[in-house]
Amino acid sequence: MHLTLRQIEVFNAVARLQNYTRAAEHLHMSQPAVSMQIKQLEEGVGLPLFEQVGKKIHLTDAGKLMYGYGRNIVSLLDEADEVFEAIKGVERGALSISVATTASHFATRLLAEFSKQHSGITISLDITNREALQRQLEHNEPDLVIMGQPPEGVEVDAAAFMENPLVMIAPASHPLVSQTAIPLSHFAQENFVVREHGSGTRSAIQRFFDEHNVPFNTAIEMTSNEAIKQAVEAGLGLGIVSIHTIELELETGRLKILDVEDLPVLRNWYVIQRKGKRLSPAAEAFKTFVLEQAERFIRLPGSSGKERGARR
Ligand code: PGA
């Protein structure tokens, strides 16, 4: 059986519209050319595909079968086309990602690895706090956002991909370093070095202290986790930070995690997009990469001391 794709396309149009003239208009062909394609297809198949009843044409039984095959062939070709377009898009696309300040400690590593796998993609990365990310999502600006908790008041699709434990840190020389299971109430008089209002970490810690009815004394506010670590090291106060921000300091022993009851506060990292947003192939590829591979590239310091804490 010798059939051409053109014959199948013409046949599909005639079968769908049940009319040679309308099919010819739809295909921008003359009616005799349409009839010729159908005649050749019927010769190829060896059976009549249409029959004329009065003024109308109908599919024969063989025609109905052919229509089933015809639609499958065209839809498979469309699918192949979409797949190839997606590959082209992934390899040449642009990607705009916004991440929470705290997530920047690992997001750059993720992007570096992703960009090794897709060297043609142009990436732009914005690092800002939770409040600003929420505004960006409201305005549908970035393709994807990585943050510590889906925002309220904006409709989003959020997928958790990794744990984000918040731990209490102290300088290595602090007297509490050697103690275990310190009750949270012990810190009622303590001064903390904290992130600015609008930080997701800050609001999670505040909620945690409120729920335990322990006052949270915020001595000094800082917009960067790096500055908090230095301040804690210098003895300005204790800190509560994401474990992702202190990998190096734990390794070198410059900061220690205090063993406090009910800590770590267990949070998750989410990859988030505005609900209904149609992701570009590049953004879709990055999202899949984060969900499937992030944990391979991000080492979580294993010294939090506890498995369970309060989830925020
Ligand atoms: P942030 O990030 O504290 O840097 O704002 C954490 C979060 O999004 O909750």
Side-chain angles (χ1 to χ4, degrees):
M1 182 167 70
H2 176 74
L3 312 178
T4 68
L5 200 53
R6 186 65 179 150
Q7 287 165 3
I8 292 168
E9 281 168 353
V10 172
F11 169 79
N12 282 356
V14 179
R16 181 164 51 84
L17 299 168
Q18 296 196 332
N19 186 304
Y20 280 89
T21 314
R22 291 226 305 275
E25 278 166 15
H26 175 74
L27 296 163
H28 305 292
M29 292 167 73
S30 67
Q31 197 192 316
V34 168
S35 303
M36 178 60 76
Q37 293 284 339
I38 298 295
K39 189 165 167 283
Q40 286 169 354
L41 182 64
E42 287 178 325
E43 279 166 15
V45 173
L47 291 164
L49 301 173
F50 292 103
E51 58 193 359
Q52 184 106 25
V53 180
K55 284 192 171 171
K56 288 194 80 178
I57 54 160
H58 294 270
L59 287 165
T60 60
D61 287 344
K64 284 177 193 156
L65 283 174
M66 185 67 222
Y67 192 31
Y69 286 117
R71 276 181 300 186
N72 278 341
I73 291 166
V74 169
S75 93
L76 262 179
L77 280 172
D78 286 347
E79 188 185 304
D81 191 43
E82 272 174 33
V83 168
F84 293 130
E85 281 309 310
I87 292 171
K88 284 186 222 162
V90 170
E91 297 320 329
R92 295 185 214 134
L95 180 62
S96 125
I97 305 287
S98 293
V99 305
T101 315
T102 306
S104 68
H105 289 259
F106 63 80
T108 35
R109 226 176 300 166
L110 278 185
L111 283 170
E113 190 53 43
F114 177 74
S115 139
K116 262 189 231 159
Q117 295 178 16
H118 302 280
S119 54
I121 296 182
T122 319
I123 298 168
S124 82
L125 172 67
D126 187 26
I127 299 169
T128 184
N129 74 14
R130 175 181 174 79
E131 205 170 74
L133 290 176
Q134 169 139 0
R135 268 198 307 278
Q136 290 190 4
L137 279 166
E138 273 161 21
H139 296 124
N140 198 11
E141 284 165 9
D143 291 326
L144 292 166
V145 165
I146 291 178
M147 63 196 291
Q149 202 189 354
E152 282 135 30
V154 198
E155 284 213 69
V156 294
D157 283 324
F161 65 92
M162 189 169 62
E163 285 204 335
N164 173 25
L166 305 185
V167 292
M168 196 182 293
I169 51 167
S173 57
H174 197 280
L176 290 177
V177 163
S178 54
Q179 293 197 23
T180 55
I182 312 162
L184 192 66
S185 55
H186 185 96
F187 299 93
Q189 314 298 332
E190 199 73 45
N191 281 335
F192 285 90
V193 186
V194 295
R195 285 280 306 281
E196 76 286 3
H197 281 286
S199 145
T201 310
R202 161 109 181 226
S203 52
I205 303 166
Q206 184 70 59
R207 270 200 309 279
F208 174 71
F209 273 77
D210 290 350
E211 281 166 22
H212 286 79
N213 289 318
V214 175
F216 183 46
N217 303 311
T218 54
I220 310 173
E221 264 186 28
M222 300 185 173
T223 53
S224 108
N225 295 307
E226 290 306 311
I228 291 183
K229 291 188 295 186
Q230 284 164 21
V232 170
E233 229 186 300
L236 276 177
L238 297 174
I240 300 183
V241 293
S242 163
I243 203 164
H244 290 285
T245 63
I246 49 172
E247 196 182 318
L248 260 183
E249 287 75 9
L250 290 180
E251 248 170 53
T252 55
R254 280 161 48 199
L255 288 172
K256 295 282 182 200
I257 295 177
L258 297 184
D259 183 0
V260 181
E261 271 179 7
D262 295 319
L263 282 180
V265 175
L266 288 184
R267 305 183 78 214
N268 278 310
W269 288 115
Y270 291 84
V271 59
I272 294 176
Q273 73 198 70
R274 188 71 198 254
K275 204 172 199 72
K277 186 175 182 71
R278 206 160 168 265
L279 289 182
S280 67
E284 196 68 67
F286 182 68
K287 183 176 172 182
T288 307
F289 170 80
V290 170
L291 294 179
E292 290 177 0
Q293 300 189 44
E295 281 184 302
R296 271 181 49 211
F297 298 105
I298 300 157
R299 201 157 52 86
L300 201 62
S303 42
S304 66
K306 291 212 194 134
E307 289 295 309
R308 303 247 158 266
R311 190 166 283 280
R312 294 274 165 317

